[in-house]
Amino acid sequence: MAAGETQVYAKVNSKLKARSATSLLDPLLGMGFPAHTALKALAATGRKTAEEAADWLRCHCNDPSLDDPIPQEYALFLCPTGSLLEKLQEFWRESRRQCTKNRAHEVFPHITLCDFFTCEDQKVECLYEALKRAGDKVLGSFPPTVPLVLHSSVSYLGFFVNDSPADVIREFAMAFATEAAILADCTVKPCTKQLHLTLAHKFYPHHQRTLEQLARAVHPGHSCQWTAALYSRDMRFVHYQTLRALFQYKPQNVDELTLNPGEYIFVDPTQQEEASEGWAIGISQRTGCRGFLPENYTERASECDTWVKHRTYTFSLALDPNLRKDAEASSRRNGELLPPPRPRSAGSLQALQAAIVRRSVLVVRHGERVDQIFGKSWLQQCSTPDGKYYRPDLNFPCSLPQRSNGIKGFENDPPLSSCGIFQSRTAGEALLDSGIRITSVFTSPALRCVQTAKHILEELKLERKIKMRVEPGIFEWTKWETGKTTPALMTLEELKEANFNVSTEYRSLLWECASAKKTKRKESGRWWPLL
């Protein structure tokens, strides 16, 4: 490299280091953390915020490998977004449901641009600059659409990238490898073989036809923004199995691990001789500690679930001036690297439309209720003369929540049966498998509906994250109950006391409409909206 170029890159390096130290490293040093562990924490959390790195260090205070100079492994992938990604994710779900799991399910849809490589913790931010420089170099020639050709064999199914678009993508991968070597002193091996997006790998031969039929529903011409994404992983656990904790577990002995729902455990299948049946020896990703754990508290997770996303570079971002301003503000928060502005075109507007997340409303019917099975006299079958509940049949619920009007209040507001609870949980399990993202839940005030929503959220692992909004406007009482007044339903306070996570801040749409009309009538001593 020429002397002038050397001076330029030296300035870039010093500038990056100065910015990094000011924004991220200094707060950690001010908290008393050593520089080498602070840098390690920043690399392990994707260099997003000092707060995340500090939390990582606090969790790893008993990690025996905390001071070991073990760098992260990094890789660069070209990832689809928009409609194409949705179709690929649908293929992922259906192929797993119909043909069981194969090796492709271990990682998200992507085109590999380079092999995994190591980078010293103090030079990670230089990799981000290398990614931006490489993206800017090929931005003008990057194809607006990447043609994908389906290829199938006995053990492999996927899309191949051919012709000039493949050459441009290889040029980008080569540019990144060159910049990473100059700026971060990394040895990166770019992909020089056939570029491909794997759909299925190492599957059973008799599943080939089914997988091909599912793959034909994925049209490569779907709208797509291609994004280069830089990921990292802990190189020590590459060949380990990854488990996800399903339940909380508190250690009974000093050699056992604490488990929190959702955290990941690395398990080496070759080192399980010391573990008893039903137990495993693993290392917690959250704390770095090693110990025994009950296997039935966990489930198998995918390889990429523990990878850390660092920075992205999107090649075909639509650049409306206002949207560009919002995107740049978001990129500063999330560490994304945006390309320089381009003139707005019809193609960019189509890309923008493809990037808008589609919203849907899921309508769910409540599960089986007890009066549907045991008739209108069900309450007499399960109550004692002094008004206490007992369970005369296994399809009756185990217990009933407390309410102000006693057990008599359940006569017109029946709960779910045991089968109804099972149906609700099955619906939640199906939603979890489908990958659908739930952001809010509205439920009728009827007990059976609130119970159904609760059990669905429990299966989705969202029962403590999403509060149910009780909306009287979706209660069909005039059709269900022939009386002149509404049944006495449980109040929000009673539901909360019964361990239902309902929102007390939500204001019913029914009352909002009534307030807008400013019309009310008085009935049975209470004010009811006239709609």
Side-chain angles (χ1 to χ4, degrees), residues 253 255-256 271-281 291-296:
N253 299 288
D255 58 354
E256 294 176 2
Q271 298 180 0
Q272 301 303 312
E273 297 84 0
E274 302 176 31
S276 304
E277 184 178 356
W279 290 76
I281 303 176
F292 291 91
L293 64 141
E295 288 184 316
N296 59 346

Side-chain angles (χ1 to χ4, degrees), residues 126-282:
C126 297
L127 279 183
Y128 306 160
E129 180 65 18
L131 174 59
K132 185 177 187 305
R133 289 188 177 208
D136 291 349
K137 281 185 178 180
V138 301
L139 184 60
S141 57
F142 195 88
T145 58
V146 176
L148 302 174
V149 180
L150 186 64
H151 173 79
S152 178
S153 67
V154 177
S155 62
Y156 177 84
L157 179 71
F159 290 118
F160 282 0
V161 183
N162 298 318
D163 305 325
S164 57
D167 295 335
V168 175
I169 295 173
R170 290 195 191 93
E171 180 186 347
F172 167 68
M174 186 65 71
F176 172 76
T178 302
E179 296 291 345
I182 296 171
L183 297 177
D185 194 24
C186 295
T187 302
V188 181
K189 183 180 179 182
C191 182
T192 57
K193 299 179 181 179
Q194 173 72 61
L195 295 178
H196 57 276
L197 193 157
T198 300
L199 296 177
H201 181 45
K202 292 188 177 180
F203 48 83
Y204 293 109
H206 63 276
H207 287 154
Q208 183 178 359
R209 178 173 294 182
T210 302
L211 290 169
E212 288 177 352
Q213 291 175 346
L214 292 173
R216 291 191 185 98
V218 182
H219 301 294
H222 281 295
S223 300
C224 177
Q225 292 178 347
W226 289 94
T227 298
L230 188 66
Y231 282 84
S232 73
R233 68 184 183 186
D234 194 320
M235 61 188 299
R236 297 173 296 167
F237 308 120
V238 171
H239 300 295
Y240 283 47
Q241 290 181 353
T242 305
L243 304 180
R244 181 191 293 108
L246 295 173
F247 313 104
Q248 186 175 28
Y249 178 76
K250 295 182 179 180
Q252 307 300 312
N253 299 288
V254 294
D255 58 354
E256 294 176 2
L257 282 178
T258 299
L259 297 182
N260 293 318
E263 72 173 273
Y264 295 97
I265 311 296
F266 299 110
V267 173
D268 186 352
T270 66
Q271 298 180 0
Q272 301 303 312
E273 297 84 0
E274 302 176 31
S276 304
E277 184 178 356
W279 290 76
I281 303 176

Side-chain angles (χ1 to χ4, degrees), residues 437-472:
R437 180 171 173 262
I438 305 296
T439 57
S440 57
V441 174
F442 296 83
T443 176
S444 160
L447 177 59
R448 59 191 179 274
C449 298
V450 179
Q451 287 178 312
T452 300
K454 176 188 177 182
H455 293 308
I456 289 176
L457 287 174
E458 285 177 346
E459 292 301 311
L460 290 169
K461 311 297 187 294
L462 297 173
E463 69 275 13
R464 292 302 169 197
K465 296 181 180 179
I466 296 181
K467 290 188 176 183
M468 296 180 285
R469 303 175 184 180
V470 178
E471 174 52 65

